[in-house]
Amino acid sequence: MSSAESVKSVVSDPKLVEERRHQIIRAATKLFSEEGYYTTTILQIAREAKVSTGLIYQYFGDKDDILFLTLKQVLDTYENEIPRQIEGLTHPVERLCRAIWAYCAIVDAQRDATVLAYRSTKSLRADRRGLIMDGETRTNRLIEKAIRACTTGGFMRPINEHLLSYQCVTFAHAWALKYWAFRDRYTLAEYVDEGLQLMVEPFLTTKGKTVLARIRQSAAEAAEAAEEPSATAARVTTTAAADAKSSND
């Protein structure tokens, strides 16, 4: 592990370190989001986490350590969870739709941390900012790869895959960044479905649209069988949101 990634702990028990850091990070995320990184103190974090300041320094060297692990945790979730959500899916269009859905569901489960990443990444040490940007780039490549599989398979017309992947990622982040504007207008599933209509469907070829229609039909039938409201295209992964939340609880 590089020195930039290393966050030293006085405590040697890995399980205890993970539990305590999760407790402290949860409190810090709330305060950093509400009060701002620079104005939040270690004492405030300790009070929010219901621990002593001395205990915090057993698991973190300073406030930069806390912010870094908070942001890294978000990126690690993207990098680990999205591949898990598309594992076993073979059709490129379905993999792309599921990847976008999974990304949005993870953002939904970590809205405060997502907003914090936008506000406070610049507050990290320069070497750690680079690590966070590298982590985001790796996640973006997952989306870009899914788009490329659609274009090479003839399901999507040739397009700037790199730029579209960033549009998809920005769309996912916007669910957190503009949640105040979206929450009363869309459910998460409706939001993702609108995104698929804006960012995926216009670029699909005829056979790509046929596949998407089949995915929507299958999702609708599954929802009807479960006596749920009619599913949207986003519900190609009806359990993705729950899975993503449980993996971060």
Side-chain angles (χ1 to χ4, degrees), residues 20 42 63 67 80 85 117 135 156 184 190 195 215 219 222 230 237 241 249:
R20 282 298 192 185
I42 293 291
K63 199 165 63 168
L67 178 61
N80 296 327
Q85 291 292 337
M156 183 179 282
D184 294 329
E190 290 167 344
I215 292 171
S230 179
T237 55
D249 287 342

Side-chain angles (χ1 to χ4, degrees), residues 19-222:
E19 290 176 353
R20 282 298 192 185
R21 282 183 170 173
H22 182 74
Q23 177 185 3
I24 294 164
I25 285 172
R26 186 168 58 245
T29 300
K30 179 176 183 294
L31 291 172
F32 290 160
S33 299
E34 293 176 353
E35 308 295 334
Y37 172 72
Y38 288 110
T39 58
T40 298
T41 66
I42 293 291
L43 178 58
Q44 288 174 308
I45 295 172
R47 287 173 176 169
E48 182 69 27
K50 295 180 172 56
V51 299
S52 68
T53 55
L55 186 140
I56 288 181
Y57 285 115
Q58 291 183 39
Y59 296 94
F60 298 94
D62 54 25
K63 199 165 63 168
D64 190 87
D65 281 352
I66 299 174
L67 178 61
F68 173 65
L69 285 192
T70 299
L71 304 185
K72 187 175 183 297
Q73 179 177 282
V74 176
L75 293 170
D76 286 348
T77 304
Y78 296 152
E79 195 168 353
N80 296 327
E81 185 64 19
I82 294 174
R84 190 182 78 81
Q85 291 292 337
I86 64 177
E87 184 178 358
L89 298 179
T90 57
H91 199 286
V93 175
E94 187 172 9
R95 285 174 67 85
L96 177 58
C97 290
R98 176 82 70 97
I100 294 171
W101 169 257
Y103 205 135
C104 290
I106 294 166
V107 168
D108 183 55
Q110 303 188 84
R111 289 194 298 269
D112 285 347
T114 300
V115 173
L116 181 64
Y118 270 81
R119 288 179 178 173
S120 301
T121 297
K122 64 181 182 298
S123 301
L124 289 170
R125 290 174 3 208
D127 53 354
R128 285 179 165 175
R129 284 201 304 272
L131 290 173
I132 294 300
M133 287 187 284
D134 288 345
E136 181 176 310
T137 299
R138 288 194 299 272
T139 301
N140 291 4
R141 288 195 190 114
L142 295 173
I143 304 295
E144 187 175 352
K145 183 178 179 181
I147 295 170
R148 184 173 301 115
C150 288
T151 59
T152 57
F155 300 100
M156 183 179 282
R157 68 173 175 80
I159 193 170
N160 187 324
E161 297 154 1
H162 178 261
L163 188 56
L164 182 57
S165 70
Y166 271 85
Q167 292 298 312
C168 293
V169 167
T170 301
F171 172 80
H173 291 166
W175 177 249
L177 295 172
K178 300 300 180 182
Y179 186 67
W180 60 270
F182 295 144
R183 62 189 176 190
D184 294 329
R185 295 177 65 93
Y186 312 102
T187 64
L188 178 63
E190 290 167 344
Y191 179 77
V192 179
D193 185 49
E194 291 290 338
L196 294 177
Q197 292 182 51
L198 290 169
M199 298 180 299
V200 175
E201 194 165 357
F203 306 112
L204 294 177
T205 61
T206 299
K207 70 175 184 177
K209 290 179 180 178
T210 299
V211 172
L212 183 58
R214 188 162 63 242
I215 292 171
R216 282 179 165 143
Q217 181 61 32
S218 296
E221 290 173 355

